[in-house]
Amino acid sequence: MSIVRVALDVPVPTLFDYHCEDAGGAQIGARVLVPFGRKQAVGVVLEVSTHSTVDRTKLRPVTRVLEDIEPLPDDLIALLRFCSEYYHHPIGEVVIGALPTRYRRAGAASSRRRPRSFAITPAGRAASSSSALARRPAQRRALARLLQQPDDAASVPPNTAAEQRALKQLVVHGWAKETATEVARTDTSTPPEPAPPLTAEQLAAVRAFCTQPKKFRAWLLHGITGSGKTEVYLHVMAPVLAAGGQVLMLIPEIGLTPQLEARVRARFGGHSVVTLHSALAEGERAANWAMAQSGAARIVLGTRSAIFTPLPRLALVVVDEEHDPSFKQIEGMRYSARDLAIWRARQYDIPVILGSATPSLETYHGVLKGRYGSARLTARANGSLLPRIRIVSTVGVKLMEGLAPQVLAAIEQRRQRSEQALVFINRRGYAPVLVCPACGWAPGCHRCSARMVLHKPRPALSCHHCGHDEPVPVACADCGNVDLRPLGYGTQRIEAALNAAFPTARVLRIDRDTTRKRGAWTDMRLSIDRRDVDLLIGTQLLAKGHDFPGLSLVCVLNADRSLYSTDFRAAEQLFAQLMQVAGRAGRRELPGEVLIQTAFPQHPLYRAVQTHDYDAYAATLLAEREQAGFPPFMFQAVLRAEALRIEDAMAFLRTAALASASFAELVTVFDPTPASMQRLKGRERAQLLVQSASRAALHRFLDRWTLVLRDGKHARVRWDIDVDPLGI
DNA sequence: AGCACGCCGACT
DNA sequence: GTCGGCGTGCTC
């Protein structure tokens, strides 16, 4: 009798055994439907065996093998097993969590998708010149693409699920015909956009990365903002694609996908490019994922979770903006997509390129130690200069609604020259606090240890941590004073101030509140490009990777609060953010200028930003980290606990620390502390740091510890382990 | 996680 | 005398 061991979406560290007559169908990686408790659950077969240690009478049969997708490939399963061990997360949750949501359920009748290609028919050629598709833009575009092919027999694979839909409609009308895709074929039919000439530095980087395309090597592409890192990626991708390989490109945020996607498509039009991120509709995400798995998609462009895409012919991994904290998942399985990208590259024995203007200290340290290779881009690709950075002191200066006269003057100057300016303030809403001037009371969130943020124009208080909204109180809850005042500045308040100061300026605010609607951000980018906007106000959404040709001034407000943070990574992250946002200015012929408004003009971090000297500042930070015994010189894990009462969470952590004493070898177990955001969504949180100079010792410790912790009974406490934590 | 089983307080 | 609280244990 054939036994299969199945991963199921339950928080236990085990697989579940079933017997299975259809041994041929239930191979490793197959998705199956199985009885579990009193219902049916979707699982993935991870092992096939002839024996089971589970009591015979308990074994139940697999209900059926779900054949709408191919079994997960062995290498993906190996990655998921590694994740489960390394991040100490239950295997079932890891495996099921890696599937697109569509495939976590037993789909009713989702038909098996095969890679398809489409070619034009004579009727389609005739229809293309008529107005038949005037009101079907998607189909019109799809038809236009077929028309571009060199001959009528040439077929193209759809680039997107949407295009596939349009092409199928064309088939229904008889204007196109469907053919089987030959996956390995290189389609040169869409004339690719010519690659621009490279600078000497870019060329050197490309050469270095291409020397051994079939060997593992992690490379840092360390290039200043505007130095053309993307162009380097594209040049390294070209031969990989030509040889039939797939490329996985990870980017920090979906806000960046549309532009990058357009650029990649323009260059590699003949190859199918798919995106994978949370903004996609469930069906499209599943379809794109399936195209990656079948090999039909040659380039996968995605955010963090795309690291779990099955890619049978993966030949190159790129992690753009590798320093970005959003590559680290901060709930559930707390993985680092950047670290896993390196693991995956090693697994496939292929190169991985980590790109950044401000590499994480972990990566930079890896280069200094010789573990990673590196290539530098020290000049901007188009010859423009890095912006001049000026520190604007607010000491003894009278501010107008939070803005220094020097900042206002600089904006006015751009107004006169019809250049664009950007005001960067990493705080949305009108004011971060509403306060009673008489007694100091300020409304806080009932579920979180955070102040409520005042929003306008429809006045409301909003908690930025749990999303809770409530009306603005008419009077102080403590003393009854009706004169409550907004304190501090957010994007909305700065927007109002700039509208008042520059009544004729066209001001655009860009933050999560204004870009929530689908397509809003795309429209905004277009209007910025058209120069319909003079003044931009934005949060970090605006800091990353964008290219605004008309922008010559960036003003940074309110950066100070990260200067004296308790998080040892705050300086690294602020430095990176300032370098990134500064990099938005003067990327073309206009010389750029950056003003950083601060109450601490002498702070070494600002001095370092001013000189654009990443290496010097990184060296200082690394020396501090080594001195203080922090990463990358130490390896860390955090045991996080949450409960309705902080005492329960703390008691659990104290017990956990005590229980670990007997086997804590080469590791330091620190005292439990309440989390920096102690109360979140109505739950109290605390944590305990464990550190070791040896990664192996740390993991030996965590292995034993999780066994002990899972064994104990901890009523009312939820806990998990965060390996390589970012915020402690 | 979801669900059942099981043992102690307030209710028709 | 029952309804239901959530503590405990199990799911192949």
Side-chain angles (χ1 to χ4, degrees), chain A residues 457-486:
Chain A
R458 190 181 59 76
L461 292 182
S462 169
C463 174
H464 286 186
H465 298 277
C466 71
H468 170 69
D469 287 338
E470 60 188 46
V472 178
V474 288
C476 173
D478 272 5
C479 72
N481 177 16
V482 293
D483 183 28
L484 300 177
R485 301 270 175 82

mmCIF file of all heavy atoms in Angstrom, chain A residues 457-486:
data_model
loop_
_atom_site.group_PDB
_atom_site.id
_atom_site.type_symbol
_atom_site.label_atom_id
_atom_site.label_comp_id
_atom_site.label_asym_id
_atom_site.label_seq_id
_atom_site.Cartn_x
_atom_site.Cartn_y
_atom_site.Cartn_z
ATOM 1 N N PRO A 457 -9.494 66.690 4.825
ATOM 2 C CA PRO A 457 -10.380 67.807 5.154
ATOM 3 C C PRO A 457 -11.633 67.369 5.905
ATOM 4 O O PRO A 457 -12.180 68.150 6.676
ATOM 5 C CB PRO A 457 -10.755 68.366 3.784
ATOM 6 C CG PRO A 457 -10.622 67.216 2.858
ATOM 7 C CD PRO A 457 -9.523 66.356 3.405
ATOM 8 N N ARG A 458 -12.084 66.130 5.653
ATOM 9 C CA ARG A 458 -13.174 65.605 6.479
ATOM 10 C C ARG A 458 -12.518 65.192 7.781
ATOM 11 O O ARG A 458 -11.833 64.184 7.840
ATOM 12 C CB ARG A 458 -13.794 64.383 5.787
ATOM 13 C CG ARG A 458 -15.079 63.887 6.394
ATOM 14 C CD ARG A 458 -15.578 62.652 5.643
ATOM 15 N NE ARG A 458 -14.595 61.549 5.668
ATOM 16 C CZ ARG A 458 -14.382 60.778 6.727
ATOM 17 N NH1 ARG A 458 -15.067 60.975 7.842
ATOM 18 N NH2 ARG A 458 -13.487 59.813 6.674
ATOM 19 N N PRO A 459 -12.683 66.010 8.825
ATOM 20 C CA PRO A 459 -11.882 65.779 10.033
ATOM 21 C C PRO A 459 -12.188 64.424 10.654
ATOM 22 O O PRO A 459 -13.340 64.038 10.779
ATOM 23 C CB PRO A 459 -12.308 66.919 10.964
ATOM 24 C CG PRO A 459 -13.049 67.892 10.109
ATOM 25 C CD PRO A 459 -13.629 67.119 8.986
ATOM 26 N N ALA A 460 -11.140 63.731 10.997
ATOM 27 C CA ALA A 460 -11.297 62.438 11.653
ATOM 28 C C ALA A 460 -9.989 62.101 12.346
ATOM 29 O O ALA A 460 -8.928 62.593 11.962
ATOM 30 C CB ALA A 460 -11.638 61.362 10.635
ATOM 31 N N LEU A 461 -10.086 61.269 13.365
ATOM 32 C CA LEU A 461 -8.881 60.742 13.990
ATOM 33 C C LEU A 461 -8.693 59.317 13.470
ATOM 34 O O LEU A 461 -9.649 58.563 13.339
ATOM 35 C CB LEU A 461 -9.026 60.724 15.507
ATOM 36 C CG LEU A 461 -9.085 62.089 16.189
ATOM 37 C CD1 LEU A 461 -9.183 61.902 17.705
ATOM 38 C CD2 LEU A 461 -7.873 62.931 15.845
ATOM 39 N N SER A 462 -7.448 58.983 13.189
ATOM 40 C CA SER A 462 -7.189 57.674 12.615
ATOM 41 C C SER A 462 -5.956 57.068 13.266
ATOM 42 O O SER A 462 -4.961 57.747 13.508
ATOM 43 C CB SER A 462 -6.985 57.843 11.104
ATOM 44 O OG SER A 462 -6.487 56.657 10.558
ATOM 45 N N CYS A 463 -6.050 55.778 13.569
ATOM 46 C CA CYS A 463 -4.879 55.088 14.100
ATOM 47 C C CYS A 463 -4.130 54.456 12.934
ATOM 48 O O CYS A 463 -4.690 53.644 12.203
ATOM 49 C CB CYS A 463 -5.281 54.011 15.108
ATOM 50 S SG CYS A 463 -3.871 53.017 15.639
ATOM 51 N N HIS A 464 -2.872 54.820 12.781
ATOM 52 C CA HIS A 464 -2.107 54.315 11.646
ATOM 53 C C HIS A 464 -1.605 52.893 11.870
ATOM 54 O O HIS A 464 -0.991 52.305 10.994
ATOM 55 C CB HIS A 464 -0.928 55.251 11.351
ATOM 56 C CG HIS A 464 -1.370 56.528 10.686
ATOM 57 N ND1 HIS A 464 -0.508 57.473 10.224
ATOM 58 C CD2 HIS A 464 -2.614 56.989 10.417
ATOM 59 C CE1 HIS A 464 -1.195 58.476 9.684
ATOM 60 N NE2 HIS A 464 -2.473 58.204 9.806
ATOM 61 N N HIS A 465 -1.856 52.354 13.032
ATOM 62 C CA HIS A 465 -1.373 51.002 13.309
ATOM 63 C C HIS A 465 -2.458 49.955 13.138
ATOM 64 O O HIS A 465 -2.194 48.859 12.665
ATOM 65 C CB HIS A 465 -0.767 50.942 14.706
ATOM 66 C CG HIS A 465 0.415 51.851 14.840
ATOM 67 N ND1 HIS A 465 1.668 51.480 14.425
ATOM 68 C CD2 HIS A 465 0.522 53.133 15.258
ATOM 69 C CE1 HIS A 465 2.505 52.492 14.616
ATOM 70 N NE2 HIS A 465 1.826 53.508 15.118
ATOM 71 N N CYS A 466 -3.703 50.301 13.519
ATOM 72 C CA CYS A 466 -4.770 49.311 13.368
ATOM 73 C C CYS A 466 -5.847 49.771 12.397
ATOM 74 O O CYS A 466 -6.766 49.004 12.094
ATOM 75 C CB CYS A 466 -5.399 48.983 14.724
ATOM 76 S SG CYS A 466 -6.407 50.305 15.411
ATOM 77 N N GLY A 467 -5.757 51.010 11.922
ATOM 78 C CA GLY A 467 -6.717 51.474 10.933
ATOM 79 C C GLY A 467 -8.021 51.989 11.513
ATOM 80 O O GLY A 467 -8.906 52.413 10.780
ATOM 81 N N HIS A 468 -8.134 51.976 12.826
ATOM 82 C CA HIS A 468 -9.363 52.426 13.461
ATOM 83 C C HIS A 468 -9.572 53.933 13.253
ATOM 84 O O HIS A 468 -8.651 54.727 13.414
ATOM 85 C CB HIS A 468 -9.301 52.104 14.958
ATOM 86 C CG HIS A 468 -10.395 52.721 15.758
ATOM 87 N ND1 HIS A 468 -11.705 52.314 15.630
ATOM 88 C CD2 HIS A 468 -10.395 53.723 16.673
ATOM 89 C CE1 HIS A 468 -12.457 53.046 16.449
ATOM 90 N NE2 HIS A 468 -11.682 53.900 17.091
ATOM 91 N N ASP A 469 -10.799 54.318 12.883
ATOM 92 C CA ASP A 469 -11.144 55.728 12.678
ATOM 93 C C ASP A 469 -12.203 56.156 13.677
ATOM 94 O O ASP A 469 -13.065 55.354 14.047
ATOM 95 C CB ASP A 469 -11.721 55.944 11.268
ATOM 96 C CG ASP A 469 -10.651 55.852 10.203
ATOM 97 O OD1 ASP A 469 -9.468 56.053 10.552
ATOM 98 O OD2 ASP A 469 -10.994 55.567 9.041
ATOM 99 N N GLU A 470 -12.159 57.413 14.086
ATOM 100 C CA GLU A 470 -13.236 57.937 14.920
ATOM 101 C C GLU A 470 -13.360 59.430 14.717
ATOM 102 O O GLU A 470 -12.442 60.080 14.199
ATOM 103 C CB GLU A 470 -13.001 57.592 16.397
ATOM 104 C CG GLU A 470 -11.710 58.147 16.967
ATOM 105 C CD GLU A 470 -11.422 57.611 18.376
ATOM 106 O OE1 GLU A 470 -11.554 56.396 18.584
ATOM 107 O OE2 GLU A 470 -11.077 58.439 19.228
ATOM 108 N N PRO A 471 -14.513 60.011 15.117
ATOM 109 C CA PRO A 471 -14.686 61.453 14.933
ATOM 110 C C PRO A 471 -13.745 62.238 15.843
ATOM 111 O O PRO A 471 -13.281 61.723 16.866
ATOM 112 C CB PRO A 471 -16.148 61.693 15.308
ATOM 113 C CG PRO A 471 -16.638 60.440 15.930
ATOM 114 C CD PRO A 471 -15.699 59.342 15.623
ATOM 115 N N VAL A 472 -13.492 63.475 15.493
ATOM 116 C CA VAL A 472 -12.631 64.331 16.302
ATOM 117 C C VAL A 472 -13.412 64.765 17.543
ATOM 118 O O VAL A 472 -14.551 65.210 17.432
ATOM 119 C CB VAL A 472 -12.205 65.572 15.488
ATOM 120 C CG1 VAL A 472 -11.353 66.504 16.335
ATOM 121 C CG2 VAL A 472 -11.451 65.142 14.245
ATOM 122 N N PRO A 473 -12.835 64.590 18.719
ATOM 123 C CA PRO A 473 -13.567 64.997 19.921
ATOM 124 C C PRO A 473 -13.756 66.515 19.956
ATOM 125 O O PRO A 473 -12.897 67.256 19.479
ATOM 126 C CB PRO A 473 -12.659 64.522 21.066
ATOM 127 C CG PRO A 473 -11.302 64.394 20.458
ATOM 128 C CD PRO A 473 -11.503 64.059 19.012
ATOM 129 N N VAL A 474 -14.907 66.961 20.508
ATOM 130 C CA VAL A 474 -15.154 68.406 20.555
ATOM 131 C C VAL A 474 -14.447 69.052 21.730
ATOM 132 O O VAL A 474 -14.155 70.247 21.720
ATOM 133 C CB VAL A 474 -16.669 68.721 20.626
ATOM 134 C CG1 VAL A 474 -17.330 68.434 19.298
ATOM 135 C CG2 VAL A 474 -17.331 67.928 21.733
ATOM 136 N N ALA A 475 -14.141 68.258 22.750
ATOM 137 C CA ALA A 475 -13.511 68.832 23.936
ATOM 138 C C ALA A 475 -12.541 67.834 24.542
ATOM 139 O O ALA A 475 -12.608 66.633 24.270
ATOM 140 C CB ALA A 475 -14.580 69.202 24.969
ATOM 141 N N CYS A 476 -11.641 68.340 25.374
ATOM 142 C CA CYS A 476 -10.672 67.510 26.068
ATOM 143 C C CYS A 476 -11.391 66.549 27.009
ATOM 144 O O CYS A 476 -12.274 66.952 27.771
ATOM 145 C CB CYS A 476 -9.710 68.395 26.858
ATOM 146 S SG CYS A 476 -8.598 67.461 27.921
ATOM 147 N N ALA A 477 -11.028 65.281 26.964
ATOM 148 C CA ALA A 477 -11.687 64.280 27.793
ATOM 149 C C ALA A 477 -11.329 64.446 29.269
ATOM 150 O O ALA A 477 -12.048 63.975 30.142
ATOM 151 C CB ALA A 477 -11.306 62.882 27.318
ATOM 152 N N ASP A 478 -10.218 65.124 29.549
ATOM 153 C CA ASP A 478 -9.779 65.283 30.941
ATOM 154 C C ASP A 478 -10.316 66.553 31.582
ATOM 155 O O ASP A 478 -10.827 66.538 32.691
ATOM 156 C CB ASP A 478 -8.248 65.307 31.002
ATOM 157 C CG ASP A 478 -7.688 63.897 31.123
ATOM 158 O OD1 ASP A 478 -8.492 62.949 31.051
ATOM 159 O OD2 ASP A 478 -6.464 63.763 31.285
ATOM 160 N N CYS A 479 -10.151 67.695 30.867
ATOM 161 C CA CYS A 479 -10.483 68.962 31.516
ATOM 162 C C CYS A 479 -11.622 69.710 30.828
ATOM 163 O O CYS A 479 -12.008 70.789 31.271
ATOM 164 C CB CYS A 479 -9.237 69.857 31.619
ATOM 165 S SG CYS A 479 -8.712 70.529 30.034
ATOM 166 N N GLY A 480 -12.129 69.190 29.752
ATOM 167 C CA GLY A 480 -13.278 69.818 29.119
ATOM 168 C C GLY A 480 -12.960 70.989 28.209
ATOM 169 O O GLY A 480 -13.852 71.544 27.570
ATOM 170 N N ASN A 481 -11.692 71.347 28.123
ATOM 171 C CA ASN A 481 -11.267 72.434 27.230
ATOM 172 C C ASN A 481 -11.704 72.135 25.793
ATOM 173 O O ASN A 481 -11.476 71.047 25.285
ATOM 174 C CB ASN A 481 -9.733 72.551 27.336
ATOM 175 C CG ASN A 481 -9.166 73.599 26.399
ATOM 176 O OD1 ASN A 481 -9.905 74.439 25.880
ATOM 177 N ND2 ASN A 481 -7.861 73.545 26.197
ATOM 178 N N VAL A 482 -12.330 73.134 25.144
ATOM 179 C CA VAL A 482 -12.806 72.877 23.780
ATOM 180 C C VAL A 482 -11.788 73.287 22.720
ATOM 181 O O VAL A 482 -11.993 73.076 21.532
ATOM 182 C CB VAL A 482 -14.143 73.610 23.496
ATOM 183 C CG1 VAL A 482 -15.250 73.008 24.340
ATOM 184 C CG2 VAL A 482 -14.012 75.104 23.733
ATOM 185 N N ASP A 483 -10.679 73.875 23.157
ATOM 186 C CA ASP A 483 -9.690 74.392 22.213
ATOM 187 C C ASP A 483 -8.558 73.384 22.008
ATOM 188 O O ASP A 483 -7.439 73.573 22.482
ATOM 189 C CB ASP A 483 -9.147 75.736 22.733
ATOM 190 C CG ASP A 483 -8.163 76.353 21.752
ATOM 191 O OD1 ASP A 483 -8.281 76.095 20.545
ATOM 192 O OD2 ASP A 483 -7.263 77.094 22.210
ATOM 193 N N LEU A 484 -8.864 72.280 21.307
ATOM 194 C CA LEU A 484 -7.836 71.270 21.051
ATOM 195 C C LEU A 484 -7.008 71.685 19.838
ATOM 196 O O LEU A 484 -7.543 72.195 18.855
ATOM 197 C CB LEU A 484 -8.485 69.908 20.809
ATOM 198 C CG LEU A 484 -9.323 69.360 21.976
ATOM 199 C CD1 LEU A 484 -9.973 68.041 21.595
ATOM 200 C CD2 LEU A 484 -8.451 69.190 23.222
ATOM 201 N N ARG A 485 -5.704 71.465 19.922
ATOM 202 C CA ARG A 485 -4.810 71.944 18.856
ATOM 203 C C ARG A 485 -4.075 70.800 18.171
ATOM 204 O O ARG A 485 -3.581 69.891 18.852
ATOM 205 C CB ARG A 485 -3.738 72.869 19.461
ATOM 206 C CG ARG A 485 -4.272 74.077 20.174
ATOM 207 C CD ARG A 485 -4.412 75.235 19.202
ATOM 208 N NE ARG A 485 -5.027 76.369 19.852
ATOM 209 C CZ ARG A 485 -4.355 77.242 20.622
ATOM 210 N NH1 ARG A 485 -3.073 77.089 20.820
ATOM 211 N NH2 ARG A 485 -4.990 78.243 21.198
ATOM 212 N N PRO A 486 -3.969 70.876 16.854
ATOM 213 C CA PRO A 486 -3.114 69.906 16.153
ATOM 214 C C PRO A 486 -1.647 70.223 16.412
ATOM 215 O O PRO A 486 -1.253 71.396 16.396
ATOM 216 C CB PRO A 486 -3.464 70.111 14.676
ATOM 217 C CG PRO A 486 -4.056 71.471 14.593
ATOM 218 C CD PRO A 486 -4.613 71.815 15.937
#
